[in-house]
Amino acid sequence: MRPPARAPAKKTTEHALTDTTATTAATPATASHASAQATAFSVILAVSFCHCVNDIMQSLLSAIYPLLKDNYGLDFWQIGLLTFTFQVTASLLQPLIGMVTDKRPMPYSLPYGMASSLIGLIVLAYAGHYWLLLIGASLIGIGSAIFHPESSRIARFASGGRFGLAQSLFQVGGNFGQAIGPLLAAFIVVPFGQTSIAWFAVGSLIGIIVLWRVGGWYSRLRASLANRKAAGFVSPFPRRKVMGALAVLTLLVLTKNAYIASLASYYTFYAIDKFDVSVQMSQVMLFLFLGASALGILLGGPFGDRYGQKAMIWFSIVGVLPFTLALPYANFEWTMILTVLIGLILSSAFSNIVVFAQELVPGRVGMIAGIFFGFAFGMGGIAAAVLGVVADMKGIDFVFQVCSYLPLLGLLTVFLPNMKEARKLEGRPRSGEA
């Protein structure tokens, strides 16, 4: 293997690992070169697959809300509390886990996180009381909190420098899982009852096995680089500017997640109430929205690598506003079309927001993953709980009218710094950045 290209003196461990992957990918076309490339790509696909499994378990919770509402006689505020319990459990733990694993990575923590979610599924399947549903939701939240920081870090390390693509592939697994969860609920859980949720434990067991192998890959990678000196933490901007930019990015994700949470938690009720569709049809409509969101995630990362993360964030905000504002007043056919467009455009920014934040704070991948997969999602959960109370008081239609204005807060993107200029000053330009 030829020596790595000359780099700036200060470099984080994260960049050292990524540069190693990129250097391997740049060697001549030999068997070892092909193997190294295949290994990195297979790792990204493996964590993406497990992200899919993880988020199927998560999406089953919201997908079976109509069933739980009937079985337990729940009010909308109790539905909101279930979402709150799941997302806030993940929110409180993810940033803490991310900061800890930045200092001391724990590759084999991933299968234990998946096991927590598996237990949560079993509890949901056989819960005899509402408080057991809350325990099951919290266990799924704990599993999500453990899973996201380390798996996001591993996807970045295996990226070979194509951070947007790697982040999109990782995230699209989760979005695909969220999309097919309602379909699985519609055609398995609804016909066969609440206890059929336990059948999904098979997928969780497969995920545990895959994550154990991924943990082994990551451990071997770290061992092979054990003699490399980890350099200091260097940001391209002053601390005050970095904190301001992170606050803006967090608010962007919060508003996007609040809007998505309103659809994920209440879209089925909205469709049933406004258009008098069946429960199964409402699940299909939710699948269309979540499927479009998955496609937006998949396309957003590569476009961000090409045109710049900030440009894609702007596209998401400007592009989605007309559709969110029109949705509360649309008929049945246009409601399905608009939700597909909203999911596609709104989700295209998320991987770019994460990559932008990781560039702002190099070497803090776990913390960034914890903030954006944890805190912002948890705040989305709080929003879902508040919206449940509003729905009980004012009705579902009013909730969707209020939420249609949430993307307006995305105009705060104007305060984000110019990453392209910062890289030029550092002497490490990257094409397509804005």
Side-chain angles (χ1 to χ4, degrees):
M1 181 184 296
R2 69 185 185 188
R6 188 175 180 180
K10 290 185 177 181
K11 181 183 288 187
T12 62
T13 303
E14 168 206 333
H15 288 144
L17 290 170
T18 303
D19 289 347
T20 301
T21 306
T23 304
T24 303
T27 56
T30 62
S32 61
H33 155 64
S35 175
Q37 275 195 320
T39 298
F41 192 64
S42 67
V43 167
I44 295 172
L45 291 180
V47 293
S48 179
F49 166 76
C50 292
H51 200 181
C52 176
V53 173
N54 182 81
D55 283 28
I56 284 175
M57 291 187 284
Q58 293 178 187
S59 66
L60 280 175
L61 177 62
S62 58
I64 63 172
Y65 280 166
L67 180 67
L68 296 179
K69 191 174 189 298
D70 290 339
N71 289 352
Y72 296 86
L74 305 180
D75 293 323
F76 280 121
W77 73 265
Q78 291 174 300
I79 296 293
L81 184 58
L82 281 172
T83 302
F84 171 86
T85 300
F86 157 66
Q87 292 195 347
V88 173
T89 302
S91 170
L92 292 173
L93 292 177
Q94 277 198 49
L96 296 175
I97 291 173
M99 287 187 286
V100 170
T101 55
D102 279 335
K103 296 179 180 179
R104 185 182 178 185
M106 302 177 186
Y108 288 106
S109 65
L110 294 175
Y112 292 107
M114 185 70 71
S116 175
S117 296
L118 185 155
I119 295 170
L121 270 185
I122 301 299
V123 172
L124 285 177
Y126 296 102
H129 301 279
Y130 175 71
W131 63 269
L132 284 174
L133 295 178
L134 294 176
I135 291 176
S138 67
L139 286 170
I140 293 175
I142 291 170
S144 179
I146 296 172
F147 174 81
H148 284 102
E150 280 293 68
S151 57
S152 181
R153 184 200 313 278
I154 289 171
R156 185 174 175 88
F157 286 168
S159 69
R162 301 176 68 183
F163 302 131
L165 175 63
Q167 195 62 229
S168 285
L169 288 174
F170 168 65
Q171 290 178 21
V172 79
N175 281 72
F176 184 71
Q178 291 173 12
I180 64 174
L183 284 184
L184 295 173
F187 296 105
I188 296 178
V189 180
V190 172
F192 295 99
Q194 185 176 337
T195 55
S196 63
I197 296 172
W199 300 352
F200 295 95
V202 175
S204 303
L205 290 173
I206 295 172
I208 290 171
I209 294 170
V210 171
L211 287 175
W212 191 266
R213 294 178 64 85
V214 168
W217 174 86
Y218 183 36
S219 294
R220 290 191 297 272
L221 176 63
R222 289 187 57 79
S224 69
L225 299 173
N227 294 328
R228 287 201 177 194
K229 184 179 179 180
F233 158 63
V234 181
S235 174
F237 299 103
R239 179 179 176 84
R240 184 175 179 180
K241 195 167 188 177
V242 169
M243 297 305 294
L246 286 176
V248 170
L249 291 171
T250 302
L251 187 59
L252 292 181
V253 176
L254 191 157
T255 55
K256 289 177 184 295
N257 287 341
Y259 188 88
I260 291 173
S262 71
L263 284 172
S265 297
Y266 305 113
Y267 185 38
T268 54
F269 299 111
Y270 176 78
I272 293 169
D273 180 68
K274 187 169 184 177
F275 304 115
D276 197 28
V277 299
S278 66
V279 172
Q280 286 190 333
M281 184 61 196
S282 71
Q283 300 288 9
V284 172
M285 293 172 70
L286 182 58
F287 165 76
L288 291 175
F289 166 71
L290 296 175
S293 297
L295 181 59
I297 285 283
L298 183 61
L299 296 177
F303 275 105
D305 284 337
R306 183 176 179 84
Y307 299 109
Q309 275 73 42
K310 191 173 179 180
M312 286 302 300
I313 295 170
W314 271 122
F315 165 76
S316 173
I317 295 155
V318 176
V320 81
L321 264 173
F323 306 122
T324 61
L325 293 173
L327 179 62
Y329 313 100
N331 61 20
F332 175 70
E333 291 77 14
W334 274 106
T335 293
M336 288 195 290
I337 294 171
L338 289 174
T339 51
V340 167
L341 291 173
I342 289 168
L344 182 67
I345 298 171
L346 192 63
S347 296
S348 66
F350 187 66
S351 60
N352 292 291
I353 290 173
V354 173
V355 171
F356 196 100
Q358 289 172 342
E359 291 292 310
L360 280 173
V361 195
R364 299 291 186 269
V365 177
M367 182 189 74
I368 293 300
I371 290 173
F372 290 101
F373 288 107
F375 173 76
F377 275 81
M379 294 301 101
I382 293 176
V386 172
L387 291 172
V389 175
V390 174
D392 283 328
M393 295 173 59
K394 297 286 189 178
I396 289 290
D397 279 348
F398 181 79
V399 167
F400 275 70
Q401 289 170 11
V402 170
C403 289
S404 68
Y405 294 97
L406 283 175
L408 281 171
L409 290 174
L411 296 175
L412 291 171
T413 300
V414 71
F415 295 109
L416 292 179
N418 191 321
M419 195 64 72
K420 182 179 180 180
E421 293 301 319
R423 288 200 185 91
K424 283 182 178 178
L425 292 174
E426 280 195 323
R428 54 183 187 96
R430 183 175 168 188
S431 71
E433 283 294 320

